[in-house]
Amino acid sequence: MPIRLELPTTFAERLRASDRALIGLWACAGSQITAEIVAGSGCDWVLLDAEHSPNGLESVLAQLYAMSAYPVAPLVRPPYGDTVLIKQYLDLGAQNLLIPMVDSAEQAAEIVRAVRYPQSGVRGVGSALARSARWNRVEGYLGRASETISLTVQIESAAAVADVTRIAETDGVDALFVGPSDLAASMGFLGQQSHPDVVAAVMRSIEAG
């Protein structure tokens, strides 16, 4: 008989359980060796970036394997919040997603639907073929898959800041992450992340989260 498995706790669960700020690092080299070194550094989370770094599905999968032996929460940032891409990263076993460029509560709600199975969402069902369910060795995965996924969305534009309260209140959004570089650019302050108006927008987003 195949063994039955349980999945690691999510980034959101760790956030809720912690009495301190969680410290993390970004792994942008596309290397499973680098990812494993970083995973063993003592940080709480490591983000694998596929938006601005040379990462694709295969390299992210290799890095998830390399990090799986360590007590660290791996996050994955896809290039953008596409439903098909989200499905693929989830099926690889990425439990914690950081979705860039989320500008409205409506967009956030669509991303939530992308990470959930019907009837609550539109995620395609392929658990028997997917590492996410450990090839159906996670007991009852389909019925509780949403409990094994953590969703963080990025606030990176003036439009997002204007709607940040509704984005934060969207059911299924676990956390916000502010991207100051794109935010500054959208406000007309390209390369000026420390401009007072940008700092004020960042603080407004933090307060909403």
Side-chain angles (χ1 to χ4, degrees):
M1 289 288 293
I3 62 173
R4 292 300 178 185
L5 302 171
E6 288 296 327
L7 296 174
T9 56
T10 66
F11 177 65
E13 289 172 320
R14 296 181 190 214
L15 275 177
R16 288 191 291 267
S18 180
D19 59 359
R20 60 173 179 82
L22 300 186
I23 306 301
L25 297 170
W26 291 53
C28 302
S31 162
Q32 62 264 41
I33 295 174
T34 301
E36 183 171 1
I37 292 170
V38 173
S41 67
C43 58
D44 299 300
W45 55 269
V46 174
L47 183 127
L48 305 177
D49 180 39
E51 183 188 16
H52 292 296
S53 303
N55 271 313
L57 294 170
E58 291 82 2
S59 63
V60 166
L61 176 59
Q63 290 169 88
L64 289 173
Y65 276 129
M67 296 168 63
S68 63
Y70 298 86
V72 65
L75 285 82
V76 174
R77 180 167 71 170
Y80 60 107
D82 175 76
T83 298
V84 174
L85 272 178
I86 288 172
K87 173 183 65 178
Q88 290 181 297
Y89 280 107
L90 290 175
D91 282 354
L92 291 183
Q95 291 179 256
N96 310 297
L97 295 181
L98 173 64
I99 305 299
M101 296 292 186
V102 177
D103 292 332
S104 69
E106 289 75 19
Q107 184 184 358
E110 286 303 307
I111 292 167
V112 171
R113 285 176 52 77
V115 305
R116 292 180 173 176
Y117 288 125
Q119 297 291 317
S120 300
V122 296
R123 179 184 175 188
V125 182
S127 58
L129 307 174
R131 182 174 177 266
S132 57
R134 300 303 188 265
W135 301 275
N136 276 347
R137 290 172 181 165
V138 175
E139 194 73 42
Y141 176 80
L142 290 176
R144 58 187 181 93
S146 61
E147 300 170 12
T148 72
I149 295 166
S150 171
L151 178 62
T152 303
V153 300
Q154 281 196 255
I155 305 300
E156 301 189 88
S157 69
V161 173
D163 204 21
V164 69
T165 299
R166 291 201 313 135
I167 293 172
E169 292 173 349
T170 301
D171 180 50
V173 170
D174 295 301
L176 306 181
F177 189 98
V178 182
S181 297
D182 282 309
L183 176 57
S186 80
M187 296 174 66
F189 302 114
L190 181 64
Q192 301 178 61
Q193 293 90 323
S194 60
H195 189 283
D197 290 352
V198 178
V199 173
V202 170
M203 295 308 299
R204 177 181 172 186
S205 301
I206 291 172
E207 290 165 4

